[in-house]
Amino acid sequence: MAVACMVLVGPSAPGDALVGRPLPADAAADVVSNRVMTWNICNPCEVDNVDRAADIAAHAPQVIGLQEACVRDVESIRDHLESLYGLVYDVAYGTVVESRSRCGGWPWNPGTFGQAVLSAEPMTDRVNVEYPDGGSEDRGYLAVTTEVGGRSVRVFNTHLAHRRQEAVRAEQVGVLATEVARHDRAIVLGDFNAVPDAPELTRMWALAADTDPRCGPSADTAGTCLTTTDWHSKFDYVFLRGFAPLEHRVQPTPYSDHHLVQADLRPTGNR
């Protein structure tokens, strides 16, 4: 019976041992108020959430956008961040799929999967939108209002259609960009599944700049962007409106095929 239960629960079961991995000597001592991170954490993957939490805790961002995020994994990561490292986050979920193969659960009650945002400050006005056409799998974006660097900001977290679905991604970017354009101060996190000079990202580049200062939509600048995946492409972005980047970092990790992408920011303007 125990074996049968393990099979049914699936790969995302929170079986993590409550032992924190030691953080590097240069790890942040507490939440960094002007730091944001985006990370596609990879599901289904045979990864211990203790390790995921340790990678996040080493940088202690104010706001974290996770993609391919099973709710039960995020709950586990959040608990470990608090119990092992003293980092307390609120969480908002933007689930778009029920998937037992990805997230475990029972056949009649599978786990849910999509985006999540963790913030060290309270979040309000949560909106979860599924794109009209998700492509081969439902996709969407999550939006919340919170604070970064002491300023109120609308934060978006998205995951666009994968593989050869350029036309679908273009439609998804159109939906997202229309909403982002309503805000003078916005941070857009996510896995866009497209390289910087892909035509489907044109509307995002027209609205915002990526935190990688060497990166842009032209063929000349696209080749200088830091890559964010194990297959040496840049798919992960932190787009900014009303903020400027102070520092941009990309950290490869053994716990996902996407790297952690983070940035320290400064607000611009007076609002």
Side-chain angles (χ1 to χ4, degrees):
M1 179 62 73
V3 172
C5 288
M6 289 175 65
V7 170
L8 284 170
V9 168
S12 296
D16 306 323
L18 294 178
V19 178
R21 175 156 52 87
L23 300 183
D26 61 349
D30 201 353
V31 169
V32 182
S33 66
N34 67 330
R35 181 170 294 169
V36 299
M37 173 186 287
T38 184
W39 190 17
N40 182 323
I41 60 175
C42 181
N43 272 305
C45 290
E46 297 297 328
V47 176
D48 195 318
N49 287 319
V50 169
D51 292 322
R52 286 169 165 162
D55 268 6
I56 292 170
H59 306 281
Q62 174 88 351
V63 169
I64 307 155
L66 301 178
Q67 304 89 42
E68 295 197 20
C70 296
V71 167
R72 59 209 308 265
D73 282 333
V74 176
E75 290 173 343
S76 176
I77 292 167
R78 182 192 182 202
D79 288 346
H80 294 329
L81 286 168
E82 181 172 1
S83 62
L84 300 176
Y85 303 107
L87 302 174
V88 179
Y89 290 96
D90 285 347
V91 62
Y93 295 103
T95 54
V96 293
V97 176
E98 289 187 342
S99 176
R100 188 165 70 89
S101 63
R102 284 186 181 271
C103 298
W106 302 99
W108 56 90
N109 186 26
T112 52
F113 169 82
Q115 288 71 246
V117 171
L118 285 75
S119 176
E121 291 292 330
M123 290 179 281
T124 61
D125 304 320
R126 183 184 73 88
V127 174
N128 186 34
V129 174
E130 290 191 35
Y131 293 124
D133 184 358
S136 55
E137 179 180 78
D138 290 347
R139 295 290 165 95
Y141 73 79
L142 169 66
V144 299
T145 298
T146 188
E147 287 189 6
V148 172
R151 300 292 182 91
S152 178
V153 59
R154 193 67 170 163
V155 175
F156 296 82
N157 183 21
T158 192
H159 187 192
L160 302 189
H162 61 87
R163 299 197 181 106
R164 297 186 179 278
Q165 300 180 83
E166 293 87 350
V168 174
R169 286 196 296 273
E171 293 179 3
Q172 293 171 348
V173 169
V175 172
L176 176 64
T178 297
E179 185 61 26
V180 172
R182 297 179 58 241
H183 302 274
D184 293 331
R185 194 180 300 284
I187 299 172
V188 187
L189 311 169
D191 174 5
F192 284 73
N193 271 314
V195 294
D197 57 346
E200 59 263 37
L201 295 189
T202 299
R203 287 194 62 182
M204 280 306 307
W205 286 114
L207 289 173
D210 184 56
T211 56
D212 185 345
R214 74 199 76 190
C215 191
S218 72
D220 291 339
T221 56
T224 64
C225 303
L226 293 178
T227 61
T228 67
T229 64
D230 286 353
W231 52 95
H232 307 296
S233 294
K234 177 177 171 65
F235 278 6
D236 305 273
Y237 297 82
V238 179
F239 285 112
L240 303 177
R241 283 170 64 84
F243 284 89
L246 293 172
E247 189 170 359
H248 175 84
R249 307 178 193 90
V250 177
Q251 178 190 314
T253 170
Y255 308 115
S256 174
D257 53 357
H258 287 253
H259 308 338
L260 290 87
V261 179
Q262 69 169 37
D264 295 349
L265 312 177
R266 65 172 180 85
T268 59
N270 298 319
R271 298 178 60 185

